[in-house]
Amino acid sequence: MKKAIQFGAGNIGRGFIGLLLNKAGYDVVFADVFQNVVDEINKEKEYTIYVKDVDLEEIKVEGISAVNSTTDEILDEIAKASIITTAVGPLNLQKLAPALSKGIEKRYKEGSKEFLNIIACENAVYASSTLKDFVYNLLDDDVKAYADKFIGFPNSSVDRIVPPSENPKPLDVTVEKYFEWNVEKDGFKGEKPIIEGMNIADNLLAYIERKLFTLNTGHATTAYIGSYLGYNTIDEAIKNPTIEKLVRNTMRESGDGLIKKFDFDKDAHYAYIEKILKRFKNPYLNDDVKRVGREPIRKLSPQERFIKPLTTAIFFNLPVDNLITGISAALHYQNDEDQQAKDLQDSINLSGVLETVKHVTKLTDEKVLEKIEKAYNSIDELIK
């Protein structure tokens, strides 16, 4: 049986990628930094996934194990793996590089001729390439040459809402029914794996940006406006007709840029937007706006879910008023449990909105910056 390692044994790791690897017949080893999670997996060796939508479903995942990713035990697992996936959060990818680099070096020293593909399944553009850079920075030239031949880092786009939830057992997970996992065809080394639910894509960038500009943009907009208006969950917020209209129009603005860039069919893409809105309304998920809104500085960075759609739309001379409203709501986001939210508010209080936006977004167009500042100051009028 082929071995798969899933770095990150959290809800997404267990409820999405780990599930698909398990169903494909892999011996799935979860790697995590939390020893209590590792111990629980090794004790139970199974968990249940609760698919909550119009139709409810329970899926049992069995025959799993776990290792602590900070110990040398992970190196033995990497040496034997044929696929490695991650769901640790984009900001944590660099922390995986030491273990992965040592594991690759171990394969090199043992003379392994087996191919290994490492797929970062994160809410970020080209996350696998980012992870590869972190790993390669720690490799000697001879090991790099080995990795160039035998280790693939295909980029991917993942889409499934997996909120925190209370379930009968600690390892159990609640997920929505819908999911997408698109992986870059040309990034693989050796034979491409056959995994039901994984789509091997020729033009991954189109899938990445479709998801980033639609689900991620709409989700974050709902969270930030919803939070500002006092809602606790995504489904509660999107039931507000004003928020739904703003979110739909924001996704259409970002979508119009995609339609121009990738020659998408407009009717099909607008139908995709309506499907996303329907997912937001799923009352069974109870998805917290704090979970969706976390790390606002990252989400306002140049390649992320607000600024990339904004600059794309501007490039094609398209309207961006709703995107700017979403950005202004993000700038108002407050959460004392989120360090980035605190840092963002500290920067606004110390340096002002304009300087903060320049620093975080890297935008230089003065007219756009002025519009964002104006929207920030007029937020109550824009979302009433």
Side-chain angles (χ1 to χ4, degrees):
M1 182 183 293
K2 290 186 175 181
K3 183 181 293 291
I5 303 172
Q6 165 59 41
F7 275 90
N11 288 344
I12 294 174
R14 298 196 312 276
F16 185 5
I17 306 303
L19 164 65
L20 297 185
L21 294 170
N22 179 264
K23 288 176 64 177
Y26 285 89
D27 173 16
V28 179
V29 179
F30 287 95
D32 204 277
V33 297
F34 295 106
Q35 188 60 45
N36 62 321
V37 175
V38 171
D39 292 342
E40 188 70 19
I41 290 173
N42 287 329
K43 174 189 171 186
E44 298 292 333
K45 300 188 182 302
E46 65 177 31
Y47 58 90
T48 301
I49 295 174
Y50 296 92
V51 183
K52 294 194 174 182
D53 212 305
V54 176
D55 298 318
L56 305 182
E57 182 183 3
E58 294 182 14
I59 303 172
K60 184 79 76 174
V61 177
E62 300 175 305
I64 57 172
S65 61
V67 296
N68 192 307
S69 57
T70 65
T71 68
D72 287 344
E73 189 178 358
I74 187 63
L75 305 184
D76 294 330
E77 301 294 346
I78 294 172
K80 295 178 286 187
S82 59
I83 187 169
I84 294 175
T85 52
T86 81
V88 298
L91 298 181
N92 291 315
L93 283 175
Q94 190 168 5
K95 297 176 183 178
L96 305 184
L100 289 173
S101 62
K102 290 177 183 177
I104 292 170
E105 184 178 1
K106 182 177 176 67
R107 293 171 75 103
Y108 166 71
K109 289 181 177 178
E110 292 177 354
S112 174
K113 303 298 183 186
E114 299 295 322
F115 293 100
L116 168 63
N117 288 290
I118 302 173
I119 309 171
C121 304
E122 310 291 349
N123 271 328
V125 178
Y126 295 137
S128 297
S129 294
T130 299
L131 179 57
K132 179 181 179 179
D133 289 341
F134 290 141
V135 171
Y136 268 51
N137 285 338
L138 301 177
L139 297 178
D140 293 335
D141 288 343
D142 51 350
V143 185
K144 286 180 186 177
Y146 168 82
D148 286 341
K149 186 174 182 179
F150 292 105
I151 313 297
F153 285 84
N155 288 294
S156 77
S157 170
V158 290
D159 183 358
R160 188 172 218 176
I161 298 173
V162 187
S165 56
E166 292 185 7
N167 293 301
K169 295 182 179 180
L171 295 177
D172 295 347
V173 191
T174 295
V175 303
E176 67 168 335
K177 185 174 182 179
Y178 180 92
F179 71 85
E180 274 192 11
W181 185 19
N182 302 297
V183 186
E184 178 184 29
K185 180 179 179 180
D186 293 340
F188 283 99
K189 294 290 174 68
E191 187 177 346
K192 296 170 184 63
I194 299 174
I195 300 172
E196 185 178 354
M198 173 197 281
N199 174 45
I200 297 178
D202 287 310
N203 185 8
L204 182 68
L205 182 61
Y207 284 101
I208 289 174
E209 295 200 349
R210 185 187 69 149
K211 188 254 183 174
L212 181 74
F213 286 31
T214 316
L215 175 84
N216 293 139
T217 302
H219 220 190
T221 303
T222 306
Y224 292 130
I225 296 177
S227 176
Y228 187 82
L229 292 179
Y231 292 101
N232 294 316
T233 63
I234 294 296
D235 65 291
E236 289 174 351
I238 204 68
K239 286 176 186 174
N240 180 314
T242 299
I243 296 180
E244 181 179 2
K245 181 180 179 181
L246 278 166
V247 172
R248 175 182 286 109
N249 289 339
T250 299
M251 290 195 289
R252 285 185 174 183
E253 284 181 354
S254 64
D256 288 342
L258 291 175
I259 290 164
K260 289 283 190 180
K261 184 174 182 177
F262 295 110
D263 197 28
F264 286 170
D265 179 271
K266 183 173 182 177
D267 290 340
H269 188 71
Y270 275 28
Y272 174 66
I273 288 171
E274 294 306 313
K275 184 185 292 186
I276 298 296
L277 284 167
K278 185 178 179 181
R279 292 167 64 193
F280 293 167
K281 295 176 182 178
N282 186 339
Y284 298 105
L285 295 179
N286 197 33
D287 202 3
D288 195 333
V289 296
K290 290 182 179 179
R291 183 194 77 84
V292 180
R294 66 189 175 194
E295 298 175 356
I297 292 176
R298 174 174 68 82
K299 288 171 180 171
L300 287 167
S301 62
Q303 297 300 314
E304 269 284 349
R305 61 207 68 197
F306 284 114
I307 306 307
K308 188 71 182 291
L310 178 77
T311 55
T312 301
I314 290 171
F315 178 81
F316 290 108
N317 296 312
L318 297 168
V320 292
D321 288 348
N322 292 281
L323 279 164
I324 286 175
T325 298
I327 292 168
S328 69
L331 291 167
H332 276 282
Y333 181 62
Q334 298 190 32
N335 179 359
D336 289 339
E337 299 172 359
D338 184 331
Q339 188 59 50
Q340 284 199 13
K342 292 168 65 177
D343 291 345
L344 183 64
Q345 295 310 313
D346 287 346
S347 177
I348 290 171
N349 291 331
L350 182 65
S351 304
V353 175
L354 201 57
E355 289 305 314
T356 298
V357 173
K358 287 180 182 179
H359 176 71
V360 171
T361 68
K362 307 299 187 249
L363 291 169
T364 57
D365 187 320
E366 292 295 334
K367 290 183 179 179
V368 174
L369 291 166
E370 288 173 6
K371 286 183 178 179
I372 293 173
E373 184 180 36
K374 182 178 179 181
Y376 175 88
N377 292 326
S378 308
I379 187 70
D380 292 324
E381 298 175 18
L382 293 172
I383 62 177
K384 67 182 179 181

